[in-house]
Amino acid sequence: AKERGKSTYQIYNADMKSVSLKKLTLENELRRALAQQEFLLYYQPQMEIETGQIVGIEALIRWHHPERGMVPPKDFIPFAEESGLIGPIGDWVLYEACRQNKAWQEEGYLHVPISVNLSSRQFLKHDLKTRIADVLTETGLDAQYLELEITESMTMDVDHATSCLLDLKRLGVHVSIDDFGTGYSSLYYLKKFPIDKLKIDQSFVRDIMTDPNDAAIVATIISMTRHLNLKVIAEGVETVEQLQFLHQNRCNEVQGYWFSPPVAAQRMEELLQRHSQA
Ligand code: C2E
Ligand code: CA
Ligand code: CA
Ligand code: CA
């Protein structure tokens, strides 16, 4: 009987390693994380090169796991999307980002937009506009201080994406295209979509000083945004040389480790104090 028990256990153990059981565990853990408030937001400032002022803040989710410590989004967001848990998680992020931004405004910090990353599932859901309107009402944040980041892959169904974007724009929120250049991009739709800003992906910015192709791509995206009347920000800016290149090529805004990594709310307040003129 003992032998039998052992082999059953071994089979069970082997099964535990199977993808579906792992997923079940992660799903339960994410539900617990929501209930126990294990998620938190980090904040990364966006800087205007000319003035050194903070002109925006991106909210980035973190999972403070009781045993594993701080879990980065890449280790759970894709699964949350797959399992549908991105719904409640995304709602929490939206609410928390708006609540925090409103709190900062009431504490007297300079008013800047807060950017929230949307997953494709959130973007394509029919009630997104209502949810965002509700969150703005509940938190009291003015719509102009919320920016939504979507990716190119979400805009492949052009008609649907256009109507989603128009809905959002009617609320008064800003919309930016994240990771620009890495997805399926059609320049034609760029001018049709009611978007405000392009975020140049960090994979292009990383090698601008060494790879002439990347330098050309980045310079071209910047000049294109000027002609299309879009704002532009470069992501993943880590060195002063990259900063200078971007400035010379008339990119006005940067985000990256050079200025600050994503930080907890309290540290963000110190940065706001130091880098904003109300
Ligand atoms: P993202 O939206 O492209 O966010 C930028 C990522 O680059 C962040 O990673 C940030 O920490 C990192 N980063 C910022 N500056 C630099 C730099 O100078 N150099 C380098 N190498 N990296 C830099 P993070 O926070 O780990 O987030 C990864 C991705 O997870 C995000 O990429 C976004 O796609 C997703 N994500 C984060 N928060 C959320 C969320 O609340 N909802 C959804 N749906 N996705 C999220
Ligand atoms: Ca983003
Ligand atoms: Ca990005
Ligand atoms: Ca505070």
Side-chain angles (χ1 to χ4, degrees):
K2 210 180 168 192
E3 279 306 300
R4 228 62 176 259
K6 194 181 173 196
S7 72
T8 313
Y9 174 75
Q10 276 167 349
I11 290 165
Y12 175 72
N13 210 14
D15 260 357
M16 268 297 274
K17 286 180 193 132
S18 80
V19 177
S20 62
L21 257 174
K22 259 192 184 162
K23 282 186 173 170
L24 199 62
T25 310
L26 184 53
E27 185 165 341
N28 286 331
E29 281 203 292
L30 285 174
R31 286 187 200 285
R32 186 206 59 212
L34 267 168
Q36 309 280 319
Q37 304 179 332
E38 290 169 13
F39 294 118
L40 69 160
L41 294 183
Y42 267 29
Y43 301 92
Q44 189 173 34
Q46 301 173 338
M47 192 201 77
E48 187 176 54
I49 300 177
E50 200 72 43
T51 60
Q53 302 261 305
I54 293 174
V55 290
I57 298 170
E58 179 171 5
L60 294 155
I61 195 170
R62 297 290 182 266
W63 178 9
H64 193 196
H65 191 282
E67 287 115 40
R68 282 187 278 152
M70 215 60 101
V71 183
K74 71 164 174 34
D75 291 346
F76 66 93
I77 288 289
F79 175 74
E81 275 165 6
E82 216 179 287
S83 65
L85 278 169
I86 196 66
I89 294 174
D91 282 350
W92 178 82
V93 171
L94 259 174
Y95 181 86
E96 181 57 15
C98 292
R99 185 204 62 75
Q100 179 64 82
N101 201 23
K102 179 66 180 179
W104 281 330
Q105 296 186 347
E106 290 192 326
E107 284 170 33
Y109 297 103
L110 184 74
H111 293 22
V112 294
I114 194 142
S115 310
V116 170
N117 293 283
L118 288 188
S119 80
S120 59
R121 247 177 126 124
Q122 274 177 296
F123 180 65
L124 297 172
K125 262 180 96 177
H126 64 280
D127 65 343
L128 179 65
K129 184 191 176 180
T130 320
R131 287 197 175 248
I132 288 171
D134 286 349
V135 166
L136 292 172
T137 310
E138 280 166 36
T139 59
L141 186 73
D142 194 298
Q144 65 176 307
Y145 297 115
L146 175 62
E147 181 170 297
L148 302 169
E149 299 193 0
I150 63 169
T151 59
E152 289 157 288
S153 61
M154 302 181 196
T155 63
M156 283 181 69
D157 180 345
V158 176
D159 292 336
H160 187 55
T162 306
S163 90
C164 291
L165 287 169
L166 281 172
D167 270 353
L168 294 174
K169 293 300 296 178
R170 274 186 215 111
L171 286 176
V173 303
H174 297 280
V175 179
S176 59
I177 303 250
D178 201 2
D179 306 337
F180 183 74
T182 61
Y184 167 92
S185 38
S186 162
L187 301 183
Y188 172 71
Y189 296 126
L190 251 194
K191 76 168 186 184
K192 288 191 69 180
F193 284 137
I195 50 164
D196 304 285
K197 194 191 246 187
L198 297 186
K199 300 191 76 174
I200 304 175
D201 189 66
Q202 53 191 56
S203 62
F204 297 114
V205 175
R206 193 189 310 127
D207 299 325
I208 43 177
M209 303 318 294
T210 49
D211 186 332
N213 290 332
D214 284 344
I217 289 169
V218 168
T220 304
I221 295 175
I222 297 166
S223 116
M224 178 185 73
T225 59
R226 202 162 41 245
H227 292 296
L228 294 174
N229 259 319
L230 296 170
K231 295 175 93 182
V232 63
I233 184 166
E235 292 192 277
V237 177
E238 297 184 352
T239 68
V240 69
E241 288 79 16
Q242 291 169 333
L243 190 81
Q244 280 160 353
F245 174 92
L246 291 160
H247 188 48
Q248 276 155 17
N249 284 277
R250 298 171 66 191
C251 175
N252 298 325
E253 295 179 14
V254 290
Q255 180 179 343
Y257 296 164
W258 181 81
F259 188 62
S260 170
V263 294
Q266 211 181 349
R267 171 80 183 126
M268 189 64 228
E269 290 173 13
E270 292 168 28
L271 290 172
L272 276 170
Q273 221 143 36
R274 226 169 330 124
H275 298 276
S276 64
Q277 224 120 72

